[in-house]
Amino acid sequence: MVLAQFLHSPLHEYMISLRRRIHQYPELGFEEVKTAALVAEELEKMGLEVTTQVARTGVVGVLRGGQPGKVVGLRADMDALRVQDGKENCPYRSRNDGVTHACGHDGHVAMLLGAAKYLSQQREELAGTIKFIFQPAEEEPGGAEPMIAAGVLSNPEVEAMLALHLSNNLPVGKIGLRYGATMAAVDRLSITIHGAGGHGAAPHQTVDAIVVAAQAVTALQTIVSRRLNPAEPAVVTLGTISGGYRHNVIADRVELTGTVRTLSSQVRDQIEQEIDRILAGVCAAYGARAEFELTPVYPATINAEGPTKLMAEVAADLLGAEGVIYEPHASMGGEDFSYFGQVPGGAAYIHVGSKNPAKGFVYPHHHPKFDFDEDALGYGAALMVQWTRRYLLGK
């Protein structure tokens, strides 16, 4: 049984060792130099065709089977977060102050290397080609699009893609999946409000940009609660506000930034129109002026029926039917794997359970104490291997 070769085995220990080395030396987006060097070294040991410095720090390993056939891509993101590691008495705690793997990307790299190691030993049995894609900067500014621009999906052309993401929302030993939109489209919102500054003792001679900004923040919250169809998922979050000079000066300018998350282009367009309408109305009431920009970051991540159905079948075989959880709602988080999902055969983006309260692995992603049950590495790698074999061999 394939799963037994990935759990509590030499291959499992290999993945755990790699994961902990990467966790100790986390690197931010487009700075993954040590991580990329480790990945390239391991892929070369497996005898794969290796390309480095793809979109600066990306790595691609190509495995050609013993017979011609389809081409699939497997992707892992490599970057860490600007978060201080809050784990205590952890032997693999981050040694890079202020940076840690708080989203499981170290595990993603280890799983994909484990899958590559196993599949490289089976190459003569495989019909087709596998591209192992190790991507930088998923946490923004985004490494998928520049890797695609560099040609990672061409020569030979990738037909279908798969990515796994560890999830502390799911118990270890289970996976979560859904068809269609599974992650939201992400837009970055920037607002500047212009007033007329002056002395804090003479407010009647000014247009207070801070007061206008406060009204705007409140009004913008009504877009989702009062202007959109309640059945349409959407988020409008304002994350920063900056303005003013000192305690006795009325500000003439305030800048706000935020994020907008949607699952459909129609809702996205409506939110943009509502932002424009609200800012114009609030500013007119106070004699101020506003300008804003809604900048696309990532499109929605869409799970195509074919690759997703295949993963559901593979997971049911490996984990049992009870191990497959069909997620009722899309996440409003964003993922630049969405760009890889535009290949001809579509893509599947799957959550692999990594939560284990008995071992203390309960903290959510991006939390300073985030960690996961390393048994999830075995489950994830086995799922990738079986999905790939089934896709290429059709069995």
Side-chain angles (χ1 to χ4, degrees):
M1 182 178 179
V2 171
L3 189 56
Q5 299 181 55
F6 284 94
L7 280 174
H8 312 297
S9 65
L11 189 53
H12 192 199
E13 293 302 317
Y14 168 78
M15 291 187 288
I16 290 173
S17 175
L18 287 173
R19 179 261 164 157
R20 294 187 177 189
R21 287 170 61 187
I22 296 167
H23 195 91
Q24 284 183 292
Y25 300 99
E27 298 166 299
L28 298 173
F30 292 126
E31 298 176 10
E32 307 95 337
V33 177
K34 289 183 179 179
T35 306
L38 174 62
V39 167
E41 180 183 4
E42 293 301 317
L43 294 175
E44 287 167 357
K45 289 178 184 176
M46 300 171 199
L48 273 61
E49 302 168 23
V50 181
T51 305
T52 61
Q53 297 181 322
V54 182
R56 293 164 60 178
T57 49
V59 181
V60 179
V62 178
L63 174 62
R64 301 182 191 276
Q67 303 172 49
K70 301 175 184 177
V71 183
V72 297
L74 307 176
R75 174 271 210 169
D77 36 14
M78 302 188 294
D79 56 321
L81 287 158
R82 198 178 294 281
V83 173
Q84 182 67 40
D85 193 334
K87 296 187 293 295
E88 300 172 358
N89 303 317
C90 177
Y92 48 88
R93 191 173 186 270
S94 171
R95 297 183 183 180
N96 187 355
D97 192 48
V99 179
T100 191
H101 276 287
C103 201
H105 295 188
D106 51 337
H108 302 167
V109 173
M111 286 191 296
L112 188 52
L113 285 172
K117 188 176 182 69
Y118 182 90
L119 288 166
S120 67
Q121 297 167 354
Q122 311 292 322
R123 71 182 73 206
E124 293 306 317
E125 301 176 14
L126 297 174
T129 300
I130 308 165
K131 290 189 177 182
F132 300 93
I133 300 171
F134 295 84
Q135 179 206 310
E138 183 277 326
E139 298 286 357
E140 291 191 32
E145 201 170 22
M147 286 196 85
I148 293 169
V152 298
L153 299 180
S154 305
N155 300 317
E157 183 179 5
V158 173
E159 178 181 306
M161 288 286 300
L162 173 69
L164 304 184
H165 199 298
L166 296 172
S167 173
N168 271 9
N169 295 320
L170 295 169
V172 66
K174 298 185 182 294
I175 70 161
L177 60 78
R178 61 177 279 112
Y179 293 92
T182 188
M183 299 282 279
V186 180
D187 291 277
R188 185 181 297 111
L189 176 61
S190 302
I191 300 171
T192 303
I193 292 176
H194 301 275
H199 200 293
H204 60 292
Q205 298 175 350
T206 72
V207 175
D208 191 338
I210 288 178
V211 170
V212 178
Q215 297 296 323
V217 168
T218 300
L220 288 169
Q221 301 311 303
T222 66
I223 293 176
V224 173
S225 66
R226 291 296 178 269
R227 300 295 294 177
L228 296 183
N229 183 334
E232 294 281 4
V235 172
V236 176
T237 292
L238 292 167
T240 71
I241 180 167
S242 177
Y245 307 101
R246 54 175 291 153
H247 71 281
N248 63 346
V249 175
I250 289 177
D252 63 345
R253 177 187 176 99
V254 172
E255 296 180 348
L256 307 98
T257 65
T259 184
V260 172
R261 310 293 176 104
T262 54
L263 296 178
S264 77
S265 58
Q266 292 83 2
V267 172
R268 192 262 186 198
D269 292 344
Q270 184 182 353
I271 288 177
E272 185 171 23
Q273 294 167 10
E274 293 294 337
I275 292 171
D276 185 48
R277 182 185 64 82
I278 287 171
L279 291 177
V282 169
C283 286
Y286 291 92
R289 176 174 62 86
E291 55 195 34
F292 80 96
E293 186 172 8
L294 193 60
T295 306
V297 179
Y298 300 152
T301 302
I302 307 298
N303 275 352
E305 182 173 358
T308 307
K309 184 174 184 290
L310 179 59
M311 177 54 76
E313 294 170 353
V314 165
D317 289 342
L318 289 180
L319 311 177
E322 68 281 1
V324 182
I325 297 173
Y326 290 90
E327 298 170 333
H329 308 293
S331 167
M332 299 312 288
E335 245 286 359
D336 71 341
F337 182 71
S338 52
Y339 291 109
F340 286 119
Q342 297 170 10
V343 293
Y349 182 86
I350 309 299
H351 293 111
V352 177
S354 54
K355 181 178 182 179
N356 190 336
K359 297 180 181 179
F361 301 125
V362 296
Y363 293 98
H365 296 262
H366 293 209
H367 190 285
K369 292 186 178 182
F370 173 83
D371 203 352
F372 60 86
D373 189 328
E374 289 172 326
D375 281 356
L377 301 176
Y379 288 109
L383 289 165
M384 279 192 282
V385 164
Q386 288 299 84
W387 181 92
T388 302
R389 288 172 59 85
R390 288 273 300 274
Y391 196 97
L392 293 181
L393 300 175
K395 61 181 180 181

